[in-house]
Amino acid sequence: MTKRVIRLVTVLVVAVLAGVGLTNIFVHSARPLATGGDTSTTGTVNVVAVGDSLTHGVGDTTGQGGYVPLIAEDIRVETGATVNTSNYGVTGDTSLQILKRVRTNTNMQSDLKQANAITLTVGGNDLMHILQNNLNKINLKKVDQGIDTFQTHIQTLIAQIRKYNGNAPIYLFSIYNPFYVYFPNLTKMQTSVKEWNAATEKTVGQLHRVHFVDVNKTLSYGTAGDQRSMKAGKSSVTNHLIYTKDHFHPNNAGYVKMTAKLWSSMSATEDEWQ
């Protein structure tokens, strides 16, 4: 890997770890959104979204909150229900920071108690903190230790959420590799993300009504056209599902893809939240 590439990746990661960085320059803060659907005999569905910048909606140029209003619309269209959403995404948060907010934010606790479904994005910042000083030579042993630590954190976080709502299904998004299309030779990064997701999926698979929503390949690999460009060996390849101003978060199209994966999981478990 050239020094130029290492510098570029390092700059991107530092911006992500700062929690503000590049995205705060270009993106308006996503707003918590209440979306009311048409009146229906199916009643009301309350969706509470908890997590990091992916829940906040960084990269969504509409400023509405990424996948959150999109899943609300899917539920409304498919079920006829009135849908209310609460967005508790904070850019840059790690699992421990999200846990602290769940423990202390009384508004979140109140909304969780009323939730029919809960979504959760967490883990990407935990991994990026581990890789912060190891981009040019990722230490897989440290990544493995981080994976083990995260399993404890995610179980504690979900247990805390369960104190306010014991039955609503929780839909946990996987993490993904935003650098894959740009730097496919960073194989240790791919391995880190894959093993992180595998461990997390196994952990939450043992928990009550927690569903793993895997968006890794969807967001990491980009569109079919992006993949064709990679296979053709083109020197300049873009992931058209990633926000071009930070090369890390999903763009509008990326959030649409995330929402499709989420709805696939939610529709298969509709009896848990209807």
Side-chain angles (χ1 to χ4, degrees):
M1 187 185 301
T2 66
K3 291 183 179 180
R4 183 185 66 81
V5 170
I6 293 172
R7 286 197 299 269
L8 174 59
V9 179
T10 302
V11 167
L12 294 177
V13 172
V14 169
V16 173
L17 292 172
V20 284
L22 297 175
T23 56
N24 278 5
I25 298 174
F26 297 105
V27 184
H28 297 294
S29 297
R31 301 184 299 275
L33 181 74
T35 303
D38 298 331
T39 302
S40 170
T41 56
T42 57
T44 300
V45 176
N46 298 316
V47 179
V48 177
V50 179
D52 50 29
S53 56
L54 298 184
T55 293
H56 186 140
V58 173
D60 171 14
T61 57
T62 71
Q64 294 297 299
Y67 71 85
V68 179
L70 299 178
I71 195 61
E73 181 66 6
D74 279 352
I75 295 170
R76 186 191 69 79
V77 169
E78 295 295 334
T79 70
T82 297
V83 184
N84 300 312
T85 64
S86 302
N87 190 326
Y88 291 99
V90 173
T91 299
D93 265 12
T94 63
S95 55
L96 289 180
Q97 290 169 315
I98 296 171
L99 173 62
K100 181 179 180 180
R101 287 194 290 117
V102 175
R103 283 175 171 165
T104 59
N105 188 321
T106 56
N107 289 332
M108 187 193 306
Q109 293 166 5
S110 178
D111 285 335
L112 285 170
K113 290 176 182 178
Q114 301 300 317
N116 300 100
I118 300 164
T119 64
L120 183 58
T121 60
V122 59
N125 292 312
D126 295 70
L127 176 58
M128 297 313 295
H129 275 282
I130 296 169
L131 301 181
Q132 182 176 12
N133 298 316
N134 301 292
L135 288 176
N136 59 337
K137 190 176 181 181
I138 293 175
N139 187 326
L140 292 179
K141 183 176 181 180
K142 288 186 177 180
V143 173
D144 287 341
Q145 293 171 346
I147 289 173
D148 290 341
T149 299
F150 181 73
Q151 303 318 301
T152 300
H153 290 177
I154 192 63
Q155 290 180 82
T156 304
L157 173 57
I158 291 174
Q160 187 67 33
I161 291 172
R162 285 295 184 219
K163 289 184 178 181
Y164 308 105
N165 193 315
N167 271 324
I170 298 173
Y171 299 92
L172 171 65
F173 284 97
S174 72
I175 65 171
Y176 62 97
N177 178 7
F179 306 128
Y180 175 73
V181 167
Y182 304 102
F183 311 112
N185 292 327
L186 279 173
T187 55
K188 287 187 177 181
M189 179 67 175
Q190 298 167 37
T191 299
S192 299
V193 171
K194 182 179 179 180
E195 292 183 353
W196 189 287
N197 283 331
T200 303
E201 182 174 16
K202 181 178 179 180
T203 295
V204 302
Q206 303 170 31
L207 304 179
H208 176 62
R209 288 190 172 185
V210 182
H211 306 287
F212 189 75
V213 181
D214 193 347
V215 297
N216 182 27
K217 288 186 178 180
T218 299
L219 294 179
S220 299
Y221 291 11
T223 65
D226 299 335
Q227 286 299 295
R228 286 194 294 270
S229 296
M230 287 184 65
K231 290 178 181 178
K234 293 186 178 180
S235 57
S236 179
V237 181
T238 298
N239 185 333
H240 287 88
L241 299 181
I242 298 297
Y243 188 50
T244 56
K245 290 182 178 177
D246 68 10
H247 297 288
F248 192 89
H249 295 92
N251 57 20
N252 293 10
Y255 281 115
V256 169
K257 293 289 189 179
M258 279 184 68
T259 305
K261 287 287 189 177
L262 174 57
W263 175 245
S264 177
S265 183
M266 290 188 71
S267 61
T269 55
E270 190 171 346
D271 60 313
E272 296 182 8
W273 52 267
Q274 269 281 61

